[in-house]
Each structure stands twice: as C-alpha cells, then as structure tokens.
Amino acid sequence: MNMVSGLDTGVHNIINGSGIPIALTGMGVVFVALLLVSLFIALLPRALRFLEQRFPEALATTSEATVTLATTQGTDEVMIAAVVAAVAHSTSTGQRG
Amino acid sequence: MDIVQGFLSSTAFSMLSWGNLVMILVGLCFISLAILKEFEPLLLLPIGFGCIVGNIPSVAGMQIGVYDPGSVLSFIYFGVSKGIFPPLIFLGIGAMTDFSTMLSNPKLVLLGAAAQVGIFLTLIGALYLGFTPQEAASIGIIGGADGPTAIFLSAKLAPQLLGAIAIAAYSYMALVPVIQPPIMRLLTSRAERLIRMPALRQVSKRERIIFPIGAFLITALIAPGSITLIGMLCFGNLLKESMVTERLAATARSALIDIVTILLGFSVGASTQAQTFLRPQSLLIFGLGALSFAVATAGGVLFAKFMNLFLTDKINPLIGAAGVSAVPDSARVVQIVGRKEDPTNHLLMHAMGPNVAGVIGSAVAAGILWSVLAN
C-alpha cells in the first residue's frame, strides 16, 4: 500500500490489469498503422504516375482545368496590376478623366 | 445586524480553504508564465484564469461551479466532459497543418510511432502504482504531449481524473522547450547532432489532396476508436488542400479553433476545484506525466538512431524528439538544439514530418486504448 496516495501498489496490478499485453499490442498497432501510412505515402507518387500513363486523358483534363484556372487568375492579376499602374501614372502626371 | 452577518457569511472569504488559495496561486502562476515567459499563452492564460474562477467558493444551493448541475460553467464544461471540444480542435489543426514535409520523407512517419512508447510504458507504471487500467491509460496518454487527445481519452475512460490530466498535459506541452533539450543532448553525440539532411522533395497538389483520405481510411480501419479525432484532423486537412472550401478551412483554422480553445481552456481550469484536484493522486499523475513525456522524447531519439543503422542517407536523431505531437513546439525545439551545434543546419522542416506523424500516432494510440478499455 502506498502511504502517500492510498493506492495499492505492486506488480500484481500490472498482471491483473493485463498491462504488458495491452502495452505490447497497443504499441504494435500504432506501429503497424503508421507503417501502412508511411507505405501509402511512399507508393502514392508512383500510383499517380502509373494512373497518368494509363489514363492520360482524364488526368490531362484535370491538369488542363488547373492550368486554365491558373492562367485566368494570372491574367486577372496582370490586368489589375496594369489598371493600378495606369491610375498611378495618370495621378502622378496630373491626368484626369 | 442579522442581515449584515448573513451577508458576511455568504461571502467567499468565509468559505475559502487553504486548498482554494493554493489553486488560485497556481492559476496566477499559469497567467504569469503565459504573459511574462510566453509559455503556451493561448492555453495557459485561459486555464490559469479558469483556475481562479473555479476556486472561488460559492454559497451552498447556488449553481455556479463546473460540477453544479445546471450552472453556466457546467454547460461549457459539457464540451470537455463529453469529449466534444477535442475533435473540433483537431479539425482546426488539420485545416492549418501542411503535411508536405511528412509526404516528402515518409520514413520519418515511423518516428511519430516510436515516440508513443512513452504512453504505453507509463500505462504500465501507473498500473504498478495502483491506478485502474482505465485511469492508467488516461495518465499514459499525457506522454503523447497532445492536450486534446489526453482530454478526449480521460473524458471517456477516467472522467474523475480529467482536471489533473488536462492540467498536466497542457503544462508539459508548455514546458517542451525545458524538458526535451536535456534528453536530446544526453542521448546524442555531437557528430549525430551535426548530421545534415537532404533537401525535401516537392510534393504535388494531388498527393496532398489524396493523403488525408487515404490516411484516414488506413488508421480508422485499424483503430476504429480513433475515427473521431483522426476523422476531424483529416477532414480539416482536406478542406485546406482541396482549395475549393477555403472559407470553411479559414474558419476552422482561425475562428472555430480559437473559440473552442477559449472554452476548453477556461472550463478545464475551472474544473480544478481544490476539493477535487488537490489530492495525492494528482501529484502522482504529474510525476507519471513527466515520466511519460521524457520516455516519449527518448523513444523518438533512440528510434532515429536505430533507423540510422540501416539508412544510407542518415537522419539527424534530434528530429526523433519531434515525434511527440506538440505541434509545432517540438519541431521548434529540434531546430533550436540543432542550430546550437551548427547555426547553418536548419532542421525545422525535417522535424515537422515526425511532429505531424506524432499527432496521428497519439490519436491512434488513444483510439486503441479506448476500444480496449471502454468496457
């Protein structure tokens, strides 16, 4: 008996509480889960490359959409920058209307 | 005169115990650490003020405290006691976490698993000291250095220890820069601390989108108990990476997580009433929590050294310490300790891999313990 806490201490608690099997199984399952996540991450780029070769059209469409979106956004940004520059220029040179 | 006497007897002064005074001092200490030392201020300040609020005694019959049914504080504490707040915090963490560093070097994920050894060894230690298996598991999870996970598991398995476990978990998270460096230096040689790691590869957008779905399926199928925490983490990350729900991701990583942190911190602090908190068991929980955290740090560092026996591209064993899931504090500590040896060696990005893997690892560990010990 632990006089400080009033708890019953001893190795028998570990045995009765199945401490060792729980700890070993728990640690094992955590390792297996993260090992599988690790393998999944390692294989993901290869799987994507394989799919790209196998189904080039489907993935190309996605890529194209992304590129188109990026280009459109880029164009907008360029236009906004051009308008700001034009306004700044007209302000500095005193132009109106 | 009777009215004045009645009023005086109803003030908190007449009911204040030495235990309440101690806990108010603890609260003031937390607030001081948060403001003066900037130790985890977002957590320690709400917890500290909650400590003060929770230790002002109320008149019998008035429903004020966290444990008084129907009180306002009890409704806020409902989110803690039923494990509602931790998954919401995980949602926010997912929405703010960039898993690219982990995706670019998948072997570092194993360091996040190794650091969970602290949880399971402490479980054995707590059992030895006479705690029930449910209490021992809840104490062990402190070693995951993940406050929300510790609260989630203890709310499910040992609600009577929730206050002490939450305070211990958040205290050790705040003390990461104090606890970890000596252990890291003790277990590594100077030559090991000087190891430089190769630059990380670029991770594609598609990988970042597919990862949260795949990782959730793997972990949830292996440990269904972790569905709530990992599910919210991965969902938050998908909101961020998909780029089509930016508003939702922005809310999850800012307003939502801030609101939940305020409510969680304050109500956990308010739950530390001296009558329930100041017990010898609480001291044991603090001691075991420190042990758990130290073992977790050592486990990560030693496993990194073990991995180096088989790797051609050696990894700096310091990053093993980031396997505990105190994101990003542990990774920052690795960077600081690494730069003390070589100011040009930047380990932060490498350490972020095991750090976010540690979040997944501790949530999986909590899920396993919950499913094994719930009945």
Side-chain angles (χ1 to χ4, degrees):
Chain A
M1 176 75 79
N2 185 322
M3 297 308 287
V4 178
S5 62
L7 296 169
D8 174 28
T9 59
V11 179
H12 63 278
N13 291 325
I14 301 174
I15 297 163
N16 294 341
S18 309
I20 305 288
I22 290 174
L24 289 177
T25 314
M27 202 60 225
V29 175
V30 170
F31 252 99
V32 168
L34 289 189
L35 183 68
L36 288 176
V37 169
S38 175
L39 286 173
F40 169 71
I41 295 169
L43 292 174
L44 190 56
R46 288 171 208 181
L48 286 171
R49 269 199 301 275
F50 173 77
L51 287 173
E52 209 159 346
Q53 286 165 357
R54 194 72 191 249
F55 309 103
E57 286 172 24
L59 290 174
T61 314
T62 321
S63 308
E64 205 173 277
T66 316
V67 169
T68 313
L69 180 66
T71 316
T72 315
Q73 283 173 343
T75 311
D76 289 346
E77 280 164 16
V78 169
M79 282 182 69
I80 290 164
V83 169
V84 171
V87 170
H89 175 72
S90 62
T91 310
S92 63
T93 54
Q95 290 177 8
R96 293 282 180 275
Chain B
M1 198 62 191
D2 288 346
I3 295 171
V4 174
Q5 273 185 338
F7 172 74
L8 286 176
S9 65
S10 72
T11 62
F13 286 110
S14 62
M15 289 168 281
L16 207 61
S17 67
W18 67 269
N20 293 128
L21 283 173
V22 169
M23 289 311 298
I24 289 171
L25 282 176
V26 169
L28 289 172
C29 182
F30 278 13
I31 293 172
S32 307
L33 282 173
I35 296 171
L36 300 175
K37 297 279 182 187
E38 292 192 26
F39 280 174
E40 291 278 350
L42 300 180
L43 295 168
L44 287 191
L45 203 142
I47 291 176
F49 200 80
C51 260
I52 297 172
V53 170
N55 280 283
I56 305 293
S58 53
V59 180
M62 286 179 77
Q63 292 166 331
I64 293 176
V66 161
Y67 301 110
D68 299 333
S71 70
V72 174
L73 287 179
S74 76
F75 284 117
I76 299 175
Y77 192 64
F78 186 81
V80 176
S81 60
K82 296 296 171 193
I84 297 166
F85 291 153
L88 292 176
I89 288 191
F90 263 61
L91 179 75
I93 293 171
M96 66 172 72
T97 302
D98 184 355
F99 283 101
S100 299
T101 50
M102 192 175 85
L103 297 177
S104 64
N105 197 349
K107 59 180 173 287
L108 299 185
V109 172
L110 295 177
L111 296 175
Q116 309 313 318
V117 71
I119 293 174
F120 295 100
L121 287 182
T122 307
L123 179 145
I124 294 173
L127 279 174
Y128 177 85
L129 289 175
F131 287 97
T132 66
Q134 287 77 9
E135 290 171 341
S138 305
I139 294 166
I141 207 77
I142 297 171
D146 193 334
T149 307
I151 288 173
F152 183 80
L153 190 66
S154 46
K156 301 290 177 196
L157 295 180
Q160 69 279 13
L161 301 181
L162 183 55
I165 287 172
I167 296 286
Y170 279 117
S171 302
Y172 294 130
M173 278 172 72
L175 291 173
V176 162
V178 179
I179 297 172
Q180 286 201 308
I183 300 166
M184 292 156 75
R185 278 193 284 268
L186 184 72
L187 296 175
T188 52
S189 65
R190 181 172 151 74
E192 285 172 327
R193 292 196 290 273
L194 286 170
I195 292 175
R196 282 174 176 268
M197 294 176 65
L200 299 166
R201 77 171 172 87
Q202 197 75 24
V203 177
S204 74
K205 188 80 210 155
R206 246 179 250 152
E207 282 175 76
R208 294 208 299 269
I209 291 172
I210 294 170
F211 168 73
I213 302 167
F216 170 69
L217 285 172
I218 293 168
T219 50
L221 288 169
I222 292 175
S226 64
I227 284 175
T228 324
L229 292 176
I230 301 271
M232 293 301 255
L233 181 81
C234 292
F235 174 50
N237 191 245
L238 187 61
L239 289 178
K240 170 183 180 281
E241 297 297 353
S242 67
M243 300 287 279
V244 292
T245 51
E246 188 45 41
R247 270 173 49 200
L248 302 186
T251 303
R253 69 170 161 256
S254 54
L256 180 66
I257 199 168
D258 287 347
I259 291 167
V260 176
T261 302
I262 290 169
L263 296 176
L264 185 142
F266 182 75
S267 57
V268 161
S271 73
T272 60
Q273 291 173 358
Q275 293 75 12
T276 56
F277 190 80
L278 280 184
R279 290 182 301 178
Q281 280 93 334
S282 299
L283 281 178
L284 282 178
I285 290 168
F286 271 78
L288 286 164
L291 176 76
S292 181
F293 194 52
V295 173
T297 304
V301 174
L302 291 175
F303 193 75
K305 288 168 70 124
F306 175 72
M307 283 171 73
N308 273 345
L309 298 175
F310 309 97
L311 295 172
T312 44
D313 278 339
K314 305 289 182 202
I315 54 178
N316 190 317
L318 290 177
I319 67 167
V324 299
S325 59
V327 178
D329 301 338
S330 284
R332 268 196 223 128
V333 166
V334 169
Q335 165 81 353
I336 291 165
V337 175
R339 285 194 70 190
K340 271 190 185 162
E341 299 295 340
D342 176 3
T344 61
N345 193 6
H346 297 283
L347 295 170
L348 183 67
M349 294 312 286
H350 299 287
M352 281 306 290
N355 213 182
V356 291
V359 177
I360 300 174
S362 59
V364 170
I368 295 161
L369 291 170
W370 185 25
S371 41
V372 171
L373 296 168
N375 301 315

